[in-house]
Amino acid sequence: MTQASAQPRVLIFDTTLRDGEQSPGATMTHDEKLEIAGLLDEMGVDIIEAGFPIASEGDFNAVSEIAKRSKNSTICGLARANFKDIDRCWEAVKHARSPRIHTFIGTSPLHRAIPNLDMDQMAERIHETVTHARNLCDNVQWSPMDATRTEHDYLCRTVEIAIKAGASTINIPDTVGYTYPFESAKLIAMLLERVPGADKVIFATHCHNDLGMATANALAAVEAGARQIECTINGLGERAGNTALEEVVMAMRVRNDILPYQTGIDTSKIMNLSRRVSSVSGFAVQFNKAIVGKNAFLHESGIHQDGVLKNVQTFEIMRPEDIGLTATNIAMGKHSGRAALRSKLKELGFDLADNQLNDVFVRFKALADRKKEVYDEDLIALVADEATNDDNDHIQVKRLRVVCGTEGPREAELTLVIGGVETATDATGDGPVDAAFNAVNMLYAHHAKLQLYQVHAVTEGTDAQATVSVRLEEDGRIATGTSADTDTVVASVKAYVHALNRLIQRRQKTAPDSDVKTISYKQ
Ligand code: KIV
Ligand code: ZN
């Protein structure tokens, strides 16, 4: 038996599609959610929290479909502590090979005040709702929201009630990212010691990163006996985000000498998932982000480069291949054929259907004509961009011409197809992007506000593709659009139109108050 297989297993519970998606502007489409869930399942995530089924029809449908398609992972849905939420959650997750209901209530003094329940009334509510969930599903997880600010005696009392009512996983959320590692460990140790039946259940840790300690707090909880970490890809999540999956998994792998735990994660799939989540959520990964940031394996200084060339271990504690990062390769040239493209994309983690491959191939040829060298990163950006183009979108970009420079007004001539009708205009602005956005606004009047406009170069060089993210806000609904092109202004307009199309879809699907982003945690 290898040493690793003798080590305790820490379950990885991924909540990118629930807590991650709750991040303002990170909304994913139905198909994007299915794709991310499929990749998480393939990567070996033990439990996927697929959404909050009562929040909207869209969330319900996504959780049901993810449950139906699940292969290895347990599929979990979130429910507040009431029968209606729990029933709806069960209706969605019951299709899974292994379903789980996750129900929660805020137990700290501040959170108890919201539903206006006293301690005894809340204890009764926990008993009733966990019992109800357990009657529907064998696998029930219970969370005392804001556990790290809950009085210890009351926390022990509520956890004991949930265990007696049949919960098999007890999750301890640090909802506002308030705890720190020593305290996080002590809390788990205290619960394991004081709560009758604690040895029969799995304790989970769910940390937020408001003070930058989510990874440390989660690992400290594991050292104290927690055996499930709740986390998201890229640390996506509300405010400063959640514990990052890639950080805890790689920490347990790299520092297995002091963190002797194993997970079921195939770490070589991390990079691909990170890129996909960044692309579909519109949340760019910061360059110096641990593990998956663009600079995480870059050695700029001469001393570092020299050391790494002589012995990689001088400045690297893990290998880029460990997370599936291959050296930047010149992927293809303009003479490469369809079969070569298919096999290259497969290597990069994309298994495209024939019609998708055809579309990507046409765009690849156009890119190879414009750009001297087409790198892996270019192909990844191209596939991601292709996924944002939908022939059914209400607004399509047909033609754009801009005039800019040191003299004269900056002008944009734009043709859009809106609801099948072609329409064109000219507009001026402070620069080419401003002029082009003004043209979009003239053709499609709306009152959404631009919250974020971000441009990144995919590779080096002045012929590099630019990826652009645009975030819009309208009546509390937030939508992010992305696009990639060697022409930054074209990418900007396409990203802007992508965000508008998403807002239009969301207007049609949800009233603002039935949306997952605004659903209250009031029980
Ligand atoms: O942070 C939190 O408390 C949560 C709960 C709903 C588990 O996400
Ligand atoms: Zn959370």
Side-chain angles (χ1 to χ4, degrees), residues 15 18-19 22 173-175 206-208 230 238 242 521:
T15 183
R18 200 277 298 169
D19 223 354
Q22 244 162 264
D174 182 27
T175 305
H206 175 115
C207 302
H208 282 265
E230 306 210 351
E238 277 188 282
N242 289 55
Y521 279 139

Side-chain angles (χ1 to χ4, degrees), residues 455-472:
V455 184
H456 289 295
V458 174
T459 54
E460 315 293 311
T462 48
D463 66 347
Q465 287 193 93
T467 52
V468 178
S469 301
V470 167
R471 191 189 305 156
L472 297 176

Side-chain angles (χ1 to χ4, degrees), residues 29-30 33-34 50 57-67:
T29 65
H30 182 81
K33 288 181 187 175
L34 298 192
E57 273 301 302
D59 244 45
F60 178 85
N61 293 337
V63 178
S64 314
E65 198 53 40
I66 289 168

